[in-house]
């Protein structure tokens, strides 16, 4: 579905301007649901026919025939509820709620300033007990990730779960995380004057992975690197695989081998992850290589792929895909005195810290696509 031009232009935000710095309006999909109930303070109800003020309280949302129903009233294919934030279920959010009827469901989309969005993302990714340098590095990466995922042709830019970045809204905000966001305001990591693919993970197990190991494509700044301080409480780990589970995962990847008889790693990458795997079955033997081998291992439910295999026993280190910044590794570097610049420079070699508003053509592209770019700061 192509986003109508009028929906791009639509924005109502209430902000307290404590300083004049740039910000950007994001669209974050919170839920897809047939019905919902939200709670607001005094708010504006905005539709294609105009806007009208309403008192605060609970608001029931439903859909019928491609239109949105607000407390049973048909308001058209979309409506925006704009006030000083809103509550959806047990979570509170900054910004406004855009509701779009589509394919028999409601898309509940939070329209929120980028810096306010980050206040609800960084706490969901890194504990408040981590050093401030790690929180600051994470804030920059989360900002970069969001800019990299802008989607002018769609109804929203990001989702609110682990498929994108976990976004917990107002309820997860802490003073430590807020300070990290504010201290790094507008900073992103760039390469060739564009926001990088800002992937990160929990624990590399001692050595980060190259992008091609996981996704099968080379990225110049996502390289294998020693990660000496990366050790989370969940690492090292060990588990036992079952032949039936191995056969099932192979079948899901289009390979049938019959009864699985053995599994072995034939070679390893520079980061210590299997680059070729052989599975011997009663019908035939198959070998998986590169990103295909990685997908197979992750589909088996392994916490990471920095492993060794002995029979059906798997021993491993690390948690996550292993590419980019390791949050536990960054913690160790910070405890050695590194600041966020040194941490990001280590995990993303050849990149630069930039302001998003000066990345080549980005500001003009955002404005042309209809993304509101203003001069506001996060509300207190």
């Amino acid at each position: 579905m192509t986003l109508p031009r009028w929906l791009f232009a639509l924005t109502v935000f209430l902000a307290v301007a404590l300083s004049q710095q740039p910000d950007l309006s994001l669209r974050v999909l919170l839920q897809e649901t047939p019905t919902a109930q939200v709670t607001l303070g005094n708010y504006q109800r905005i539709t294609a026919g105009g806007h009208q003020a309403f008192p605060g309280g609970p608001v029931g949302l439903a859909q019928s025939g491609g239109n949105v129903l607000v407390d049973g009233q048909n308001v058209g294919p979309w409506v925006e509820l704009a006030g000083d934030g809103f509550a959806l279920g047990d979570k509170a959010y900054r910004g406004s709620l855009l509701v779009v009827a589509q394919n028999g469901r409601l898309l509940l989309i939070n329209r929120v300033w980028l810096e306010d969005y980050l206040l609800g993302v960084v706490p969901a990714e890194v504990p408040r007990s981590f050093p401030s340098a790690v929180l600051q590095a994470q804030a920059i990466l989360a900002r970069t990730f969001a800019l990299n995922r802008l989607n002018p042709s769609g109804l929203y830019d990001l989702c609110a779960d682990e498929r994108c970045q976990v976004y917990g809204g107002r309820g997860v905000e802490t003073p430590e995380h807020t300070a990290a966001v504010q201290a790094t305001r507008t900073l992103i990591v760039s390469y060739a004057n564009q926001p990088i693919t800002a992937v990160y993970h929990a624990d590399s197990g001692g050595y980060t992975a190259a992008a091609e190991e996981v996704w099968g494509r080379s990225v110049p700044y996502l390289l294998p690197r020693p990660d000496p301080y990366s050790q989370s409480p969940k690492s090292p780990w060990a588990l036992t695989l079952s032949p039936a589970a191995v056969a099932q995962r192979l079948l899901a990847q289009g390979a049938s081998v019959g009864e699985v008889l053995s599994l072995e790693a034939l070679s390893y990458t520079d980061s210590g992850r299997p680059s070729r795997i052989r599975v011997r079955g009663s019908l035939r033997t198959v070998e998986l290589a590169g990103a295909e081998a990685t997908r197979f291992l992750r589909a088996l439910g392994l916490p990471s792929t920095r492993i060794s295999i002995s029979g059906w026993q798997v021993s491993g280190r690390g948690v996550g895909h292993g590419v980019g910044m390791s949050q536990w590794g960054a913690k160790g570097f910070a405890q050695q005195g590194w600041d966020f610049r040194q941490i990001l420079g280590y995990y993303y070699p050849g990149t630069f810290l930039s302001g998003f508003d000066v990345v080549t053509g980005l500001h003009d592209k955002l404005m042309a696509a209809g993304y509101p770019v203003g001069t506001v700061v996060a509300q207190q």
Side-chain angles (χ1 to χ4, degrees):
M1 178 177 179
T2 302
L3 187 61
R5 292 182 62 84
W6 48 260
L7 198 52
F8 275 131
L10 176 64
T11 183
V12 174
F13 284 102
L14 302 177
V16 179
L18 303 178
S19 66
Q20 294 297 303
Q21 298 186 53
D23 208 344
L24 163 71
S25 174
L26 287 179
R27 303 161 302 160
V28 185
L29 177 66
L30 302 178
Q31 289 184 21
E32 295 185 52
T33 179
T35 63
Q37 181 166 293
V38 298
T39 303
L40 303 100
N42 295 335
Y43 71 99
Q44 294 282 326
R45 186 182 297 177
I46 306 165
T47 66
H51 59 87
Q52 184 178 355
F54 284 83
V59 175
L61 301 170
Q63 59 79 36
S64 177
N67 290 315
V68 179
L69 305 181
V70 179
D71 289 334
Q73 179 185 0
N74 187 333
V75 297
W78 63 271
V79 63
E80 184 163 10
L81 310 177
D84 185 21
F86 61 94
L88 176 63
D90 60 354
K91 293 184 178 180
Y93 297 93
R94 298 176 182 270
S96 64
L97 179 66
L98 175 64
V99 185
V100 180
Q102 186 182 66
N103 300 327
R105 299 176 71 81
L106 297 175
L107 304 186
L108 305 182
I109 301 167
N110 184 195
R111 290 167 54 83
V112 60
W113 292 112
L114 169 61
E115 299 300 318
D116 282 350
Y117 162 76
L118 295 176
L119 300 180
V121 169
V122 181
E125 295 291 351
V126 179
R128 66 190 301 180
S129 60
F130 275 32
S132 61
V134 183
L135 272 58
Q136 290 165 354
Q138 185 65 61
I140 293 170
L141 290 176
R143 186 181 294 112
T144 307
F145 183 96
L147 286 176
N148 194 270
R149 295 291 292 269
L150 295 178
N151 183 23
S153 64
L155 286 167
Y156 56 90
D157 303 302
L158 296 145
C159 55
D161 58 32
E162 61 278 356
R163 293 171 298 165
C164 302
Q165 297 185 120
V166 177
Y167 171 48
R170 260 183 166 141
V172 302
E173 295 176 14
T174 75
E176 292 86 353
H177 294 100
T178 297
V181 172
Q182 293 176 343
T184 62
R185 186 179 181 85
T186 78
L187 288 179
I188 64 170
V189 184
S190 66
Y191 182 84
N193 292 326
Q194 293 297 323
I196 69 166
T197 301
V199 291
Y200 50 86
H201 62 283
D203 175 5
S204 72
Y207 219 108
T208 68
E212 58 263 37
E213 296 179 51
V214 179
W215 298 297
R217 58 183 180 86
S218 176
V219 179
Y221 49 80
L222 297 177
L223 305 174
R225 309 220 73 183
D227 201 13
Y229 303 109
S230 187
Q231 184 169 331
S232 69
K234 296 181 179 180
S235 178
W237 50 265
L239 55 80
T240 303
L241 296 176
S242 73
V246 172
Q248 182 180 14
R249 295 320 311 174
L250 274 178
L251 194 60
Q253 289 186 221
S256 176
V257 299
E259 180 185 355
V260 173
L261 303 176
S262 67
L263 169 70
E264 61 180 320
L266 301 179
S267 61
Y268 286 82
T269 66
D270 291 342
S271 74
R273 293 165 171 85
S275 57
R276 288 177 62 231
I277 293 172
R278 176 185 292 156
V279 182
R280 189 166 61 89
S282 59
L283 298 180
R284 66 185 181 116
T285 296
V286 298
E287 290 187 8
L288 306 175
E292 186 181 27
T294 298
R295 285 194 299 271
F296 167 71
L297 293 173
R298 293 304 302 274
L300 288 172
L302 305 184
S304 80
T305 57
R306 195 159 192 262
I307 62 170
S308 61
I309 302 172
S310 177
W312 300 110
Q313 304 301 311
V314 179
S315 302
R317 293 181 177 275
V319 178
H321 53 64
V323 184
M325 187 184 80
S326 156
Q327 292 159 333
W328 282 89
K331 178 185 180 183
F333 282 126
Q335 290 171 335
Q336 301 303 308
W338 287 29
D339 64 17
F340 70 85
R341 296 173 182 84
Q342 293 169 299
I343 290 170
L344 293 172
Y346 183 80
Y347 286 109
Y348 307 94
T351 63
F352 299 89
L353 282 175
S354 308
F356 77 77
D357 55 333
V358 298
V359 172
T360 300
L362 182 59
H363 185 279
D364 292 342
K365 290 177 183 177
L366 296 176
M367 294 297 290
Y371 288 86
V373 179
T375 52
V376 300
V377 299
Q379 298 173 3
Q380 299 300 295

